[in-house]
Amino acid sequence: MIFFLMKETTRPNEDIHIRHLTGQDLATGQFAPTMLGQFRHALAQGADILEQHGNSLHDVTRMVVTLTKTDEFASCFTTLNEVFGRTCPAMTFRLVKKHQHAPQLIELDLLVAIPDASLCGI
């Protein structure tokens, strides 16, 4: 898992970009057997990292979902609705031929775009 604070030259604030969140349990090294299980685990990892930096999943503005197949992703819709409700972040889907680990079914990248205070009238 890689965590970045991205600096842009167009605004002074730092965006938060968390990459390579998977359904792998870091304590055991095992992957959840279903895409939904892996999706929930990856979101929980992301939530923990965001919390350490004073943010939450509700602050996520974009999610990149990397999959090898799309047929199981429908099982994740209920969790998306539970976590984000009507404020679901913009989503990008990437299809790959295979993941780094054979049992891996999904990978998430989360982006929190910090708004420029000068644009918000603050």
Side-chain angles (χ1 to χ4, degrees), residues 19-78:
R19 297 176 187 245
H20 309 297
L21 297 167
T22 68
Q24 185 177 25
D25 184 325
L26 300 178
T28 66
Q30 299 296 313
F31 284 86
T34 65
M35 184 175 292
L36 176 59
Q38 290 188 26
F39 181 68
R40 286 182 175 170
H41 191 78
L43 281 177
Q45 288 178 40
D48 289 344
I49 294 168
L50 288 169
E51 187 177 318
Q52 293 170 17
H53 296 278
N55 294 96
S56 73
L57 288 173
H58 292 287
D59 298 314
V60 173
T61 54
R62 175 170 301 281
M63 181 184 313
V64 178
V65 181
T66 304
L67 308 161
T68 55
K69 54 185 178 177
T70 59
D71 55 343
E72 287 184 61
F73 189 75
S75 67
C76 302
F77 290 151
T78 301

